[in-house]
Structure formats: structure tokens, C-alpha cells
Amino acid sequence: MTPDVASNARKSMPSLHRASEPDVLKPLLERAALTPESRERTLGHAAGLLADLRAAQGKGWVNQFLQEYRLNSSEGVALLSLAEAFLRVPDPETADLLIADKLGDADWRAHTGKSNSTLVNSATWGLVVGRALVGEGEKPSSLRRLISRAGEPFVRQAVGAAMRMMGEIFVMGRTIDEAMKRMRKPEHKGFTASFDMLGEAARTEADAARYFRAYTDAVAAVGRDAAAGHSISVKLSALHPRYEVARWDECVPALTEMLEALAVQAAGLGIALTVDAEESERLEMSLDIIGTVAGLPSLKGWDGFGMAVQAYGKRARPVVAWAGELGRTMNVRLVKGAYWDSEIKRTQVEGLADYPLFTRKAATDVSYLAVARDMLDAPAIRPAFASHNALTVATIMEWAGNSRDFEFQRLHGMGDGLYERLVRENGYHCRVYAPVGGHRDLLAYLVRRLLENGANSSFVHQLADERLTEAEILADPVAKIAAVGGARHPSIPLPVDLFGAERRNSAGLDLADRAVLEATVKSVSFSGEGRSPGPQAMSPATLLPGLRRGAEEAIGRAALAFPAWSATPVEHRAACLDRLADLLEAHRDELMAICVQEAFKTIPDALGEVREAVDFCRYYAQQARDGLQPVELPGPTGERNVLRFDGRGVWATIAPWNFPLAIFLGQTVAALVAGNAVLAKPAPQTPMIAARAVELAHEAGVPRDALVLLPGGPEVGAALTADPRIAGVAFTGSTATARKIARSLLEDDSRPIVPLIAETGGINAMIVDSTALPEQVVADVITSAFRSAGQRCSALRLLLLQEEIAEATIEMLKGAMDTLRLGDPADPATDVGPVIDQAAYDRLMAYRAGAKIEKTLDAPADGLFVPPTLIRIDRIDALTQEWFGPILHVATWPAGKLADTIRAVNAKGYGLTMGLHSRIARAAEETEALAAVGNLYVNRSMIGAVVGSQPFGGEGLSGTGPKAGGPHYLHRFVVERAVSVDTTSAGGNATLLSLDEGLTTI
């Protein structure tokens, strides 16, 4: 390791985090490369290891099970999907539906009798039996008739046996004592273990306390037999329910204290303790915690402290260098990475500059080798190399020479055959990473990791693919990456290019980067006597001079401007929107500050507001270019038919306060790009952000009279909608106000019939069955119901839990609610800010006073804070209207009654959003077929629709359509005019006359 790499380790991490892949890989390629002589020796070692691995595939029921049901086969994926959910389903009815869903489409019979293991063949017959009984659309077979007599309980038993076998494969033991006993079996002779009381990240304080007790008990148990050499692995996110950068000042000290307690306990017993790796956004926090504990005087002389480093991260090399600078011997476990899918998606969703990890599997292998070489050279690091890759292992052996002062590691249930000979004959040390815990929870967690990270390019998959040659399996990753110049994978575009050539994605901010977050806080925060100098000057009196002119005058100005703007080419109008998008991004901090201070938005919500406005501008610009050009239509020869799209005239866009920039601009720019003049009326609570947006639109090239801001209250809106010169209205708000607007547009019989685009609210329900993962449900419920203080049209209002899981889910939900923080929206630690005004506060608090509250929180004494509230209701019908705030109602539904439950929600007449949490694909299909809603969300939160990806808008009492951010929205703003010209009337069809076949002799 070079001195400059070590001395600048922590300083170099921020620049590497989002650096381009080729730039990061260039020094790694040099470090990972083998000389030709070394490469030849390494391939020889690797070939021998490969032979050992393949020989092991036929030995032991664990290997044979994995070989029979490869993770990249349809049966393997079906089995993993079943295992992820089956053991947590308490009721037989849903269990049967899950079995039918997962087993119904796979060919289990093809696997019967194929394995040398009686156990594997028995499990396979259980799956065949299950498939025969639940298979749909099949002719009745003798087997099906036979087992039908036993019924579903027999099938559940058979499938349960297969699931328990999978638990044995991936989980070392249900308790630490059981796991330690299993490690004493002959197949583990010579190996040690790193036990991890693994599970989901903590969602509640109770979860965190339970995991901490499990770790302390595990340390004590392993310490009773310290001579065995086993160790403990700790996952920090299991010890705190809010392990996130926004809560740095809270969670880092608390986790440091807990890790210190575990380390002191382990040191006293003479065993080792390793901190597991987490997602990349937690890296800096983890390093602070680990660095503090590593420097404690009480741990001086103990060489058992360690950490895991993920090689797929671009910062892996400086992290290892940093670990070598801590002034003590550190155990460092190098792994390839565990959260690849989620890291890629998060980066894309948040519109960040680049990925924090490598996008090619071979690039991760290069990084792993380069970092491994650094670790072998570092005097203060005791290396541990976790890998199932024969080439990786052989390369490390080549670099280490005769040294055995390091260890290999492998996952329990995988990699059998790779290390046995190395350990028992060649003196190498290998540790088994051994998850410990109940199969019901732990198997689900481990299976999801396999499903998320089981890339076809992985060594484990390649080994099982009989079509691949030894040379292909042992191909040099350095050569692979060098051949493509270190370029990012072509199928994984940068977030800015997510939507291809059509439009640029809006740029986000990495709020999980502490430096970025702190800078953002400064730009949006109040100062002095409660307001920063910028927004202090932004009172209506100073910011909106001359804008409170009468509606009649404003309509007149817009009407005069309409013809010229409508005649402006579509390309020019679209270019104005693109320039506006760029200006919004250039003024992002300013706009976020106004959103925080005027609309009480939290920092993430303010950022989302600006990004959505940018996306609307670029999306509608692209839609106009593609969809509003004249269309040549077919017809008979000698006739020209054209369909044109022209602006309707003057539109009134009436925006809400809950999205005072995104919806305000979305409605407005759609009308503008379609060729209309616009009178834009913001909500009376949020005029300042609207005024700034209009100012930027004018700067982008929209004529001042083609876009006129008209602030004011209901009286201004009423004056607009009543004026016969208004050619259309786009409105977002309450259903009651939408009805009033609709009536006003029809009151004058002499007035033209004009379109109304209305987006209103809804009694939005999330339905949860017993196959759903409780931790995921609770996280999505918290986000959907309480983010933005519940003040979103799409927010969750009604949680419908299957009866069998209701109490446990509600208990976890209440614990998660306890972790929410109410306060100043400019504080990054705030989850729930105040509601918009006194009227909203009074209405919500009065409703709460008469409700059966299941759970609520304390609220700050000063301010319009409505505390997040959970209200129990007896039946779906008990909720009769939308309550626009952080109030969530919960009811139950019986197993097997999904269709009836959906129909009961539909009967309310609203139709905006609905959520479903289920692992049963057919449940999702049934919900999609029956739900009368504009937006259905499956196994995710119900808010945050992305422009162009999730067009947003409801039906029934929830809106008129078309959906905002969708491909049909712009056409509602135009008139369609067809022009037909008889070209023969001018003396003939020149096109026809030019064809020899059409000529006749005179």
C-alpha cells in the first residue's frame, strides 16, 4: 500500500463515492493485475479448486439440494420465493394460496429421483405432490385424485418439510447453542464460525433492544468456549431503528455506546467481534462508530476487533487504508457486496450523479483483488477474504506465498468443497459466516439477499452452468474490464440518462452524504429571529407588487396574448419549458428554502417538489414535440387529410398548497406548451413559491401576458371559472371544490362547454395479507401515511390488515411511530412538520377528539402540529370521508376475502390510490383487475409517483383524468382540427400522374 493512499484515505472517500467508473478502476486494474508467470500458476491452483468444488456438488444433501434447484432456474426462483414467505404465514387458507401461486407454474416432476440424496428426493416429491394438488387448468391425474383425499393439510406438511430443509441449508441454528453444537459436527472439522444473530434492520426501539440482547447472549455463549476460535458478527442497523444520516447526532453516539459494550464483553472473554457492512449511505457513520470504539483505551491489547468492507463499493480501497491507520491491529473481512440491486435503484430514484458501486460483476472482482493485495501488504490489518470464487482464492494464495497469516471465509450453505482440502491438508484457515435465528424470520431475510444478488454472472451460477468451459469460468476479470476501458455496464445508464434520449432526468441531492446534507440545511434554514434574510423579504407586499389585479383585467390580457402564443411553433414552446427546467435546477436551493418556509415542507419533500416540477417541464416538452405536431392521415388518392392540435384559448390553472411548485407548474406548463394562454392561481397559503416560479417561466421565454399569476383566495377562483372567456380549467384540490367548479362552468347556457381537469383526494387504502413482510409493510405505511404530515392526495388513509396478522403488525407499527420526530421542517431530523394552517389544524384536532385512538404521539406545544395518529375502526364502512393530515385508520379483513375487501373500498366512490402488500402474484393480479383506482402500488409505498413512469390521477370522486405526467394529458388542453383538401380540384393529382401505371392513352 502506498503512503499517499493511506494518509489521504478518509479525505479521498467523498470524491470516489460518485466518481466515474473508469476513473476509479484505472488504479485498481494496475493493482489487481498478475504477471504472466503468476497468472499461469494461479490458473493451475484455480483449476484444482474448481475440480474440488465440482466434486463436492455430488456430496452432501445441502450441495445436492442447491445443485438440483439452481438459483437461476425457474424452479429455484419459485422455491426461494416460497421460502421467503411460507414460514411466516399463520393461516392455512393463505398458505394454500401461496403454495398454489409459487408451485403452480414450475416443473417439479422433472426433478424427481435425480438427486443422490434421499432427503432431497423426499423434498422434491413434496413439491410434486403440492404442484399436483394445486395445479390449475390441468386434467385430473391419478396422483391428483389420490392426494386430494388427504387434502390441503398434507400439501402444507410436504411444503413445510421442504422449507425446513432450506432453513437447514442457510441457517446454522435457531439458537446460538444449536449453532455452536452444529459447528462441532465432522463436516465442519478444522473450520471456525462467525455467528451473526442476523435479521431485519430494527424498525422499533423494542426490535433494537431485542437484537442487542441476542448479541450479548451470543457473545457470552461463544465466550464460554473461547478456545474453539469462533467469533461474533454485529449488524449496526439491527441496533437502532433510525440508523440514517439525518439522525447522525442521535444514532452514532447510541450505537457507539452499544458497540463499545459488546466489544468490551468480547474482549473480556477473549473472542473476536466484527462489524458487518451496511448500505453505502451508512458508510461514513459506520466508520465514525468503528473508529471511536477502535480507539478506546479499555480495548488496548485486544486484537479481536474487526469490520467488513464491500469490494463493490468505489470507496473500498481507502476504507481498508483507513482501517490500517487506526493505531491497532484490525481484522478486516473483505466481501464482494450485499445490496447491489437496492443501491442501483436508490441512485436512480434519487437522481444522483453516479453510482457508489461498480456496475459490472468483473469490475467488482477487480476491486476485490486490488483491495485484497493492499490488505496482504498492510502490517496493521489481519485479512479475511470472503469468497466462493476459485480464481479469487487462487490469486490470493499466489500473492500470499507461504504465508498463512490470514483467513478465508465462506457463507454457511455455500462454497462446500472449495476450502476443505486447503484447511485440512494445506494449513489455511477458513471461517464460516453462520447466521443464527428462527427460520421464520431469518430464512426470509437470507433468501431475499440471494434473490437480490444472485446475478447470472456470479461464480456460483457459472459453476452450476454445465455449458460453460473451465476457461470461461476462470476468465481474468482484469482483462475483461481492460477490454471495455472500465466503462459502466451499457444496460445501467447514469441516473441523468434514465429516460434515454427523450429527456434528462431531474438532478437530486445525496442527502445521505453528511456534507451535502449540512450544506442543504444551511441553504433552507431560518436564522436570526426565525427567518433567513431571503425569505424575510419575500412577504406578499414586497414579492407580489401589482399582481393582485382583478381577474377580469388579467383574462383580458391573456386573451389578447393567446393568438400569438398559440401560433408560436410547438418546438419554440417546448424549448421554453426546457429552459425553465434548467432554471429551476439552477435555483434549486432558493426554491427549496421557500417550500420549507412557506409550505412547511421537510428537506426531502422540498427537494422532491423541485425535482417533480423539473420533470413535468421536460416531460411535457418532449410530449409536445412528439404528440402535438400535425398528423397526416390516410385517404383516397387526390386528397390530403391532416389532423392539427391547437390551443383552446385562455386556461385557468388552480393549484393546491400541498404541492405549491410541482402541481402549480405541472398544470401550468402543460397548458402553455399546448398553445394556451394561462391564468395561474396558486393556493392562498403559498403565493411566494408560485410567484418565483412564474418569474422564472418568464425568464425562460414565456411571454408575460401568456402566463399571468393571479394570487388570491376562493373569490379569485370563482371569478375565473365564472368568466365565459375561460376555455378550460385545470384544478387540484378537494372534491367539494371540484364540484363547485363543475357547476359554475355549466351555469351560463350561452357559454361554450369547456373541459375541466380535476384531481381530487381519496380514501386511499392499503390491503395487507399474511404473506407480506411485516417490516416492509410498516416502513411503507409510515412513509405513505405520515410523510408530508399526511398532506398528500395519495397518502394512505385506511390500512386493511388480514385478521391473522393484524395485532402483531399494529404493535410493530406503533413502535415505528414512536421513532418519528415532529418539529421544524428545516431540521433534517424532522419527519413530520406542521400542517398548513389554523383551519386545517382545528379540523383535524376536532376529529381526533371524538375518535377511538389506538396510538398517537406528543406534539410540540408551539406550532400547528397534528401528531401522527392511528385510529382503530370496526369496519371499512366506518370511514366516510378523507381526513387530510397525519391520521391513519386501521381495520381488518378475513382470509380468503380479498375480492370482497376490494369491492368494499371501491364502494366508497373514491378512486385515487390503493396499495397491496402480498407475496402472492395472483393476489396482485386480482387486485389489479378489481381495484377501481388510478394508481395501484404493490409491495411499496403509495406516494411519490414519478412523472412519465407512474402517471398520476384518479377516477370517480377522485378526479376526471387524464392522468398528470402521462402520455394523454396534453391532448386535453387542445382542440383537434381536421383539414381535408381535394388536391384534384386544381387540375389533377400530380402524384398519380407521375406514375407510369396511372397513365392512359388519349
Side-chain angles (χ1 to χ4, degrees):
M1 185 183 304
T2 58
D4 59 317
V5 171
S7 61
N8 296 310
R10 193 77 185 260
K11 293 179 182 178
S12 68
M13 291 182 200
S15 61
L16 284 176
H17 188 39
R18 303 289 175 190
S20 73
E21 208 155 327
D23 290 345
V24 179
L25 281 168
K26 186 176 180 181
L28 299 178
L29 287 166
E30 296 174 4
R31 185 67 168 152
L34 288 162
T35 65
E37 297 81 7
S38 293
R39 171 74 179 160
E40 186 175 348
R41 287 193 300 268
T42 299
L43 283 175
H45 288 308
L49 294 172
L50 193 60
D52 289 346
L53 271 166
R54 284 178 162 161
Q57 302 304 302
K59 297 178 182 177
W61 63 268
V62 170
N63 279 320
Q64 290 180 42
F65 193 93
L66 290 173
Q67 179 71 7
E68 189 65 37
Y69 297 108
R70 294 186 312 217
L71 304 186
N72 58 346
S73 68
S74 59
E75 289 80 18
V77 171
L79 196 56
L80 288 174
S81 300
L82 183 60
E84 195 277 329
F86 183 81
L87 295 179
R88 66 170 171 265
V89 178
D91 60 294
E93 190 161 7
T94 308
D96 293 339
L97 291 173
L98 180 67
I99 292 169
D101 189 70
K102 302 305 178 191
L103 299 191
D105 295 328
D107 184 10
W108 304 103
R109 189 181 293 274
H111 296 268
T112 55
K114 296 292 184 65
S115 175
N116 294 324
S117 167
T118 303
L119 279 170
V120 174
N121 287 330
S122 297
T124 297
W125 268 108
L127 298 170
V128 170
V129 165
R131 172 68 177 87
L133 186 59
V134 304
E136 297 179 1
E138 293 182 346
K139 294 180 180 178
S141 64
S142 57
L143 175 61
R144 187 173 183 181
R145 287 191 295 270
L146 174 65
I147 62 177
S148 290
R149 299 172 191 169
E152 282 94 355
F154 177 73
V155 177
R156 288 194 297 275
Q157 275 191 323
V159 172
M163 297 303 100
R164 285 188 291 275
M165 177 175 288
M166 290 193 70
E168 293 291 318
I169 290 175
F170 295 114
V171 181
M172 180 61 78
R174 285 161 290 189
T175 66
I176 186 66
D177 290 331
E178 182 181 310
M180 292 179 67
K181 181 179 179 181
R182 190 171 177 185
M183 276 302 297
R184 290 193 286 269
K185 290 187 175 182
E187 63 261 29
H188 294 125
K189 181 182 179 182
F191 290 79
T192 54
S194 181
F195 297 113
D196 191 354
M197 317 307 290
L198 196 60
E200 306 297 334
R203 296 293 180 194
T204 68
E205 295 288 354
D207 286 342
R210 176 165 49 86
Y211 281 125
F212 184 71
R213 287 193 301 271
Y215 282 130
T216 57
D217 291 347
V219 171
V222 172
R224 286 193 292 271
D225 187 16
H230 302 315
S231 62
I232 296 292
S233 290
V234 174
K235 186 177 181 182
L236 293 177
S237 58
L239 299 178
H240 199 286
R242 299 302 299 271
Y243 185 35
E244 53 200 63
V245 171
R247 295 287 189 93
W248 188 298
D249 294 338
E250 170 192 340
C251 68
V252 168
L255 284 167
T256 301
E257 183 178 340
M258 284 187 278
L259 184 59
E260 177 185 357
L262 292 171
V264 168
Q265 181 190 11
L269 294 171
I271 65 170
L273 184 88
T274 299
V275 180
D276 273 351
E278 302 271 2
E279 295 90 339
S280 66
E281 63 262 33
R282 291 170 166 156
L283 178 62
E284 292 286 343
M285 288 191 295
S286 296
L287 296 186
D288 268 17
I289 295 164
I290 292 167
T292 300
V293 173
L296 291 171
S298 58
L299 298 178
K300 191 175 182 179
W302 174 56
D303 289 342
F305 191 47
M307 62 183 290
V309 176
Q310 302 189 103
Y312 71 9
K314 291 175 178 176
R315 296 172 291 183
R317 198 178 186 198
V319 170
V320 167
W322 171 84
E325 296 174 336
L326 293 176
R328 60 173 299 131
T329 298
M330 282 290 289
N331 299 323
V332 177
R333 175 198 297 149
L334 185 62
V335 301
K336 297 207 172 172
Y339 303 96
W340 191 85
D341 280 18
S342 58
E343 296 266 20
I344 291 289
K345 182 177 180 180
R346 173 183 173 265
T347 304
Q348 292 178 342
V349 167
E350 297 188 8
L352 303 181
D354 207 326
Y355 298 99
L357 39 75
F358 301 108
T359 59
R360 294 178 186 262
K361 177 66 172 63
T364 293
D365 289 340
V366 168
S367 173
Y368 191 98
L369 293 173
V371 175
R373 197 167 188 177
D374 287 350
M375 289 167 61
L376 288 168
D377 291 347
I381 285 178
R382 182 176 295 146
F385 302 109
S387 178
H388 304 118
N389 187 309
L391 181 63
T392 300
V393 171
T395 304
I396 290 168
M397 291 166 58
E398 168 70 16
W399 283 333
N402 294 323
S403 172
R404 300 293 186 271
D405 193 20
F406 65 93
E407 67 180 30
F408 290 112
Q409 294 191 5
R410 68 169 177 85
L411 289 172
H412 169 61
M414 299 185 75
D416 286 353
L418 179 59
Y419 292 112
E420 278 75 4
R421 187 162 55 87
L422 296 180
V423 168
R424 293 165 187 162
E425 298 177 17
N426 298 319
Y428 290 96
H429 182 206
C430 183
R431 189 177 299 273
V432 178
Y433 185 83
V436 179
H439 291 173
R440 176 184 176 276
D441 299 317
L442 191 49
L443 182 59
Y445 177 87
L446 294 169
V447 163
R448 279 197 304 284
R449 295 283 81 78
L450 287 170
L451 287 170
E452 290 169 8
N453 294 284
N456 287 334
S457 58
S458 73
F459 183 83
V460 173
H461 280 172
Q462 289 182 338
L463 183 65
D465 191 340
E466 297 174 355
R467 296 168 299 177
L468 294 177
T469 66
E470 180 178 294
E472 289 173 315
I473 294 175
L474 300 180
D476 183 7
V478 173
K480 285 183 180 179
I481 296 303
V484 297
R488 179 176 26 84
H489 196 289
S491 298
I492 304 176
L494 288 175
V496 70
D497 299 321
L498 188 60
F499 301 106
E502 290 185 347
R503 63 184 169 100
R504 198 162 79 248
N505 190 17
S506 57
L509 288 170
D510 190 358
L511 298 179
D513 183 317
R514 195 182 192 191
V516 172
L517 181 61
E518 289 176 347
T520 304
V521 170
K522 288 180 181 178
S523 71
V524 305
S525 294
F526 301 112
S527 63
E529 298 180 357
R531 288 198 179 274
S532 63
Q536 188 174 24
M538 293 180 185
S539 66
T542 57
L543 186 64
L544 310 175
L547 291 179
R548 295 191 181 279
R549 53 180 64 90
E552 185 172 342
E553 177 194 346
I555 296 170
R557 289 173 54 209
L560 290 173
F562 164 67
W565 178 247
S566 182
T568 301
V570 170
E571 178 56 46
H572 178 84
R573 300 195 303 256
C576 290
L577 268 61
D578 284 334
R579 287 193 293 271
L580 175 55
D582 294 342
L583 286 168
L584 292 171
E585 289 191 326
H587 293 270
R588 178 177 54 199
D589 290 354
E590 173 196 354
L591 296 169
M592 286 176 62
I594 303 174
C595 285
V596 168
Q597 298 173 36
E598 183 181 48
F600 309 135
K601 287 189 171 283
T602 61
I603 291 172
D605 283 351
L607 174 59
E609 182 88 10
V610 177
R611 290 193 64 208
E612 187 173 2
V614 170
D615 284 335
F616 272 132
C617 290
R618 291 184 181 143
Y619 179 74
Y620 289 142
Q622 171 256 319
Q623 287 287 305
R625 290 186 180 101
D626 292 347
L628 297 185
Q629 303 288 354
V631 178
E632 294 275 354
L633 300 174
T637 183
E639 188 173 280
R640 180 172 176 266
N641 298 292
V642 178
L643 182 65
R644 290 191 1 248
F645 306 99
D646 295 326
R648 287 179 172 271
V650 179
W651 273 72
T653 59
I654 303 173
W657 48 261
N658 63 331
F659 284 91
L661 179 65
I663 292 180
F664 173 82
L665 270 184
Q667 296 176 154
T668 299
V669 300
L672 283 169
V673 80
N676 301 285
V678 178
L679 292 170
K681 182 201 166 304
Q685 297 92 335
T686 54
M688 289 185 285
I689 188 67
R692 190 68 180 107
V694 169
E695 190 174 80
L696 292 174
H698 292 155
E699 185 179 337
V702 177
R704 291 187 175 276
D705 286 350
L707 171 58
V708 180
L709 181 68
L710 199 63
E715 71 286 349
V716 175
L720 282 174
T721 58
D723 195 298
R725 291 172 293 177
I726 293 296
V729 177
F731 166 79
T732 302
S734 70
T735 303
T737 302
R739 288 185 187 278
K740 290 179 182 178
I741 294 173
R743 284 194 294 268
S744 73
L745 296 176
L746 296 173
E747 283 177 353
D748 185 350
D749 290 341
S750 65
R751 182 179 186 177
I753 298 172
V754 301
L756 167 64
I757 301 173
E759 181 189 311
T760 57
I763 299 180
N764 308 311
M766 178 187 288
I767 302 171
V768 181
D769 74 15
S770 61
T771 69
L773 180 69
E775 290 82 0
Q776 183 184 3
V777 169
V778 167
D780 288 342
V781 167
I782 291 289
T783 296
S784 302
F786 303 128
R787 185 167 173 177
S788 309
Q791 298 174 122
R792 292 183 182 228
C793 303
S794 58
L796 172 61
R797 311 295 180 199
L798 177 59
L799 176 62
L800 298 172
L801 300 170
Q802 189 180 317
E803 291 170 349
E804 288 79 3
I805 60 162
E807 296 310 316
T809 305
I810 289 171
E811 194 62 29
M812 184 182 292
L813 176 58
K814 293 194 295 189
M817 289 174 65
D818 282 331
T819 71
L820 295 174
R821 182 175 297 177
L822 285 71
D824 179 358
D827 182 346
T830 292
D831 300 299
V832 181
V835 295
I836 190 63
D837 58 21
Q838 189 70 48
Y841 175 84
D842 292 342
R843 184 166 54 252
L844 293 167
M845 295 301 284
Y847 172 66
R848 291 175 73 257
K852 182 182 176 182
I853 294 179
E854 178 80 16
K855 172 71 177 179
T856 191
L857 305 179
D858 295 330
D862 298 326
L864 301 175
F865 292 97
V866 175
T869 304
L870 184 65
I871 296 174
R872 178 96 67 148
I873 58 177
D874 296 330
R875 63 190 191 284
I876 295 173
D877 293 344
L879 183 59
T880 58
Q881 70 179 85
E882 177 187 34
W883 293 97
F884 207 73
I887 295 176
L888 174 64
H889 304 81
V890 60
T892 62
W893 59 282
K897 299 295 182 181
L898 176 62
D900 291 343
T901 302
I902 296 169
R903 291 189 186 102
V905 175
N906 288 345
K908 294 189 169 297
Y910 291 91
L912 189 54
T913 64
M914 182 182 289
L916 173 72
H917 267 272
S918 175
R919 291 298 194 258
I920 301 174
R922 293 176 198 184
E925 292 167 3
E926 184 175 21
T927 304
E928 183 178 353
L930 294 176
V933 295
N935 290 76
L936 174 64
Y937 298 101
V938 179
N939 292 330
R940 53 151 287 172
S941 75
M942 291 168 53
I943 64 172
V946 177
V947 173
S949 295
Q950 295 127 19
F952 187 78
E955 57 195 70
L957 297 174
S958 294
T960 63
K963 295 168 80 64
H968 307 298
Y969 192 64
L970 290 187
H971 287 91
R972 188 63 168 155
F973 290 89
V974 299
V975 291
E976 299 184 43
R977 292 168 173 158
V979 179
S980 184
V981 179
D982 181 2
T983 58
T984 64
S985 63
N989 182 353
T991 303
L992 188 62
L993 292 173
S994 68
L995 300 174
D996 290 341
E997 292 82 352
L999 297 178
T1000 59
T1001 303
I1002 299 176

